[in-house]
Amino acid sequence: MIFDFRLKVFYTVSQKLSFTKAAQELFISQPAVTKHIKELEEQTGLALFKRHGNNITLTPAGQVLLKHAQQIFKVYAALENDLAQLQNSESGTIRIGASTTLAQYVLPKILALFKSAHPSIQLHFASGNSEFIEQQIISEQIDVAIVEGISHHPQIAYEAFVKDEIVLVAHAESKLGQRGELKPSQLTTLPLILREQGSGTLDVILKALDKDKITLKDLKIELQLESTEAIKHYLLYSESAAFISIHAIGNELKNKELVILEVKGLDIYRTFQFIQLHGKTSRLTDLFKRFCNSHYNF
């Protein structure tokens, strides 16, 4: 359901009593968790956690917020169940597309839950990089898709789905993995593994680096690969680094195979977006988008 993601972050931290564990649970970085909590404290004007070295506890204000957050999430769950009962009468076919990162790490669970909730709806699924998926929408080969790029075709309607963070990572046991915080200028000296041309992830990375006047030609590109999985496996046997969606490395961070390399002042965020042709919405595509929004974080 629609809600302030910061409240979800607060709720998760309050359950785990650990910013690190909350970050792993939510598939975002620890600095992102810290930022969300800080913004929520600024919004409420109250401290929500007490810090005791590496340990944290809820303040009285935090306990009050937790009590109400639990009630809010119960209401969301009840609303979701009531809507699901109304939706079960739906039938038909939806042709769904997704760009590579989403197809691998975000959509499989959602598609399985959607099919379980709506067994009479037939699903057809296609994946590829963002440029390919957008062309599939334009040629009406698929009805609705979710992409990760920043391009905007005039024929396509874009609608925000969920935010994503792209982080710089390296093999935990590599020399790079042992380094401290980097300066943006040092990125030009690192051997990098990047996605291929046409990748939405690559577009977002280059746009972020442009703020520090770093272009593709300035980078020391060791190799470009067509999937995040290939990049992750490559990193495990190399002394290189790569920019990867935080959604894609949850297991690797948990197993301490990859580590995040902090780059001072460089925060790379993007918004995964639903795309459709203008004027081509339908009750089934609307149903699918509502389902995605209600099931992604819960």
Side-chain angles (χ1 to χ4, degrees):
M1 306 313 298
I2 299 172
F3 68 103
D4 189 334
F5 184 64
R6 287 172 296 184
L7 188 61
K8 177 64 174 178
V9 173
F10 163 77
Y11 181 82
T12 306
V13 174
S14 68
Q15 296 300 299
K16 303 291 184 181
L17 291 178
S18 166
F19 281 44
T20 301
K21 292 180 180 179
Q24 294 172 349
E25 177 79 14
L26 296 167
F27 297 103
I28 60 177
S29 68
Q30 185 172 330
V33 170
T34 302
K35 181 179 179 182
H36 283 302
I37 295 299
K38 183 178 179 181
E39 290 175 346
L40 194 55
E41 289 178 330
E42 290 175 351
Q43 184 179 5
T44 60
L46 296 166
L48 302 174
F49 295 98
K50 292 180 181 177
R51 278 77 170 178
H52 311 280
N54 293 327
N55 298 319
I56 60 172
T57 58
L58 284 166
T59 64
Q63 293 172 355
V64 170
L65 182 58
L66 175 60
K67 175 183 176 181
H68 288 282
Q70 290 170 332
Q71 295 300 317
I72 289 170
F73 292 144
K74 286 181 181 179
V75 172
Y76 280 144
L79 175 58
E80 182 181 326
N81 289 333
D82 289 345
L83 291 176
Q85 292 180 14
L86 296 175
Q87 295 167 350
N88 283 337
S89 61
E90 301 284 358
S91 63
T93 300
I94 312 177
R95 299 171 300 169
I96 301 166
S99 52
T100 310
T101 298
L102 287 146
Q104 291 179 321
Y105 306 107
V106 177
L107 263 294
K109 179 180 179 180
I110 291 177
L111 290 175
L113 293 173
F114 184 84
K115 186 62 179 176
S116 177
H118 307 285
S120 60
I121 296 179
Q122 299 300 312
L123 304 179
H124 296 281
F125 186 70
S127 65
N129 65 34
S130 295
E131 183 178 8
F132 170 78
I133 293 299
E134 287 175 333
Q135 290 303 318
Q136 290 285 292
I137 286 285
I138 291 171
S139 63
E140 299 189 45
Q141 298 300 305
I142 52 182
D143 304 310
V144 62
I146 308 177
V147 296
E148 59 207 56
I150 57 175
S151 62
H152 284 276
H153 292 274
Q155 305 100 308
I156 295 177
Y158 295 82
E159 179 183 342
F161 171 36
V162 69
K163 285 187 176 181
D164 179 40
E165 181 181 9
I166 297 175
V167 294
L168 183 67
V169 297
H171 184 209
E173 297 181 3
S174 68
K175 292 180 181 179
L176 278 177
Q178 308 303 316
R179 294 181 66 167
E181 186 179 63
L182 301 168
K183 297 179 181 179
S185 60
Q186 292 178 290
L187 292 174
T188 61
T189 68
L190 304 183
L192 293 174
I193 312 301
L194 298 177
R195 286 287 305 276
E196 80 287 359
Q197 294 293 330
S199 161
T201 299
L202 180 61
D203 290 342
V204 173
I205 292 167
L206 294 179
K207 182 177 180 181
L209 294 180
D210 185 60
K211 296 176 183 177
D212 290 295
K213 302 188 183 305
I214 298 174
T215 68
L216 187 63
K217 293 180 180 179
D218 297 322
L219 299 176
K220 186 179 177 182
I221 302 172
E222 184 170 316
L223 192 64
Q224 288 185 267
L225 296 171
E226 294 188 355
S227 78
T228 299
E229 281 297 304
I231 291 176
K232 289 195 299 181
H233 283 91
Y234 188 98
L235 290 179
L236 296 179
Y237 301 96
S238 76
E239 291 288 330
S240 51
F243 287 100
I244 298 179
S245 166
I246 197 72
H247 289 83
I249 56 174
N251 288 332
E252 287 77 13
L253 293 177
K254 182 179 180 180
N255 296 330
K256 298 183 179 179
E257 296 173 328
L258 297 176
V259 293
I260 295 175
L261 305 178
E262 299 293 342
V263 183
K264 186 176 181 180
L266 181 65
D267 297 310
I268 306 179
Y269 293 98
R270 62 181 172 182
T271 301
F272 292 145
Q273 300 180 90
F274 293 110
I275 60 172
Q276 294 174 265
L277 277 181
H278 281 293
K280 286 291 184 178
T281 187
S282 70
R283 59 185 176 84
L284 290 183
T285 57
D286 286 345
L287 171 63
F288 175 72
K289 289 190 293 183
R290 289 198 304 271
F291 192 91
C292 289
N293 283 320
S294 66
H295 285 75
Y296 174 71
N297 284 305
F298 287 96

